[in-house]
């Protein structure tokens, strides 16, 4: 009986893992490289940055690197089809150009591919130039409300808000494909190696359900061992 309980519990866990956990690991999500300034999702935090025709908005302290392959931002409040934009990523010994065509719908994330830098840097710059006649607005956030250390300027004039920028490594990548990178990132903040993080993760995923199954099986075995004694104790009272 004890072995059947343990086997049944582990079988149920395996079915749950296949039905729920594996699809979650396989689901594609943007692989974030860095968030120099956050993307605010609460309306109260939104402070759009206006870029008129011919103007250029720039944000400094951008951490470019070999894994920063996409730039993500959000256009908002467009009264006309959005103007074409030119995006320039630059830093010491690095320059990459990307273009956003006209007519892009507003209030939607825009993701532009860029040529990645060959080395990591923290003092890069991102500039967005409005190549059209009509103004565009890009999601921003007020300084001091979850903002980063970056400063945003429009044609060289500092603004009290920051452009909301996210750097991606991949547009969409499954959690399963990123397990190695995730383990390395966790190890960077703790006195562990990537392999130690992997071992701890396996122990958590496999060891916990195994321990619960063993505990249930032992509880059933103890009940079975006590049950005969209870029957014998109950017989005299029945005769009486």
């Amino acid at each position: 009986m004890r072995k059947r309980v343990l086997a049944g519990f582990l079988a149920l866990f395996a079915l749950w893992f296949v039905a729920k956990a594996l699809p979650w690991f396989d689901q594609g999500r943007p692989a974030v490289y860095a968030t120099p300034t956050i993307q605010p999702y609460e309306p109260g935090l939104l402070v759009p940055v206006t870029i008129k025709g011919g103007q250029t908005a720039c944000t400094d302290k951008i951490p470019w690197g070999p894994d920063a392959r996409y730039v993500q931002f959000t256009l908002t409040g467009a009264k006309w089809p959005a103007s074409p934009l030119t995006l320039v990523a630059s830093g010491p010994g690095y320059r990459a150009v990307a273009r956003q065509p006209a007519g892009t719908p507003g209030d939607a994330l825009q993701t532009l591919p860029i040529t990645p830098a060959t080395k990591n840097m923290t003092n890069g710059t991102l500039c967005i130039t409005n190549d059209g006649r009509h103004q565009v607005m890009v999601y921003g956030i007020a300084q001091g409300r979850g903002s980063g250390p970056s400063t945003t300027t429009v044609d060289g004039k500092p603004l009290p808000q920051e452009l909301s920028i996210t750097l991606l490594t991949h547009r969409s990548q499954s959690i399963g494909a990123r397990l190695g990178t995730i383990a390395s990132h966790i190890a960077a903040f703790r006195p562990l190696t990537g392999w130690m993080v992997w071992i701890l993760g396996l122990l958590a995923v496999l060891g916990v359900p195994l321990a619960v199954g063993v505990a249930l099986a032992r509880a059933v075995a103890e009940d079975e061992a006590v049950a005969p004694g209870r029957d014998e104790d109950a017989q005299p009272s029945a005769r009486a």
Side-chain angles (χ1 to χ4, degrees), residues 35-191:
T35 52
T37 55
I38 67 171
Q39 288 279 353
Y41 294 100
E42 297 182 14
L45 296 178
L46 295 176
V47 186
V49 175
T50 300
I51 310 174
K52 297 180 179 179
Q55 288 187 331
T56 299
C58 294
T59 297
D60 61 6
K61 296 181 176 62
I62 303 296
W64 303 120
D67 292 328
R69 301 188 180 101
Y70 297 90
V71 175
Q72 195 172 71
F73 59 94
T74 303
L75 295 175
T76 183
K79 297 181 180 179
W80 301 275
S83 299
L85 306 175
T86 297
L87 184 148
V88 178
S90 61
Y94 170 63
R95 179 180 171 85
V97 179
R99 289 182 171 82
Q100 176 75 54
T104 303
D107 295 324
L109 281 173
Q110 313 300 323
T111 305
L112 298 184
I114 60 170
T115 302
T118 57
K119 61 180 180 179
N120 292 316
M121 63 186 76
T122 59
N123 56 343
T125 301
L126 174 68
C127 292
I128 300 176
T129 299
N130 182 353
D131 295 322
R133 295 180 301 167
H134 303 300
Q135 73 176 24
V136 297
M137 289 188 291
V138 181
Y139 272 8
I141 185 170
Q143 290 185 349
R145 303 184 67 182
S147 62
S150 301
T151 299
T152 296
T153 62
V154 173
D155 284 354
K157 181 180 178 181
L159 299 180
Q161 63 263 33
E162 299 175 357
L163 285 173
S164 292
I165 301 297
T166 301
L167 307 182
L168 304 179
T169 299
H170 295 282
R171 285 177 179 266
S172 180
Q173 190 179 34
S174 68
I175 295 293
R178 296 164 54 193
L179 287 178
T181 302
I182 293 172
S184 298
H185 288 174
I186 294 174
F189 291 95
R190 289 168 173 79

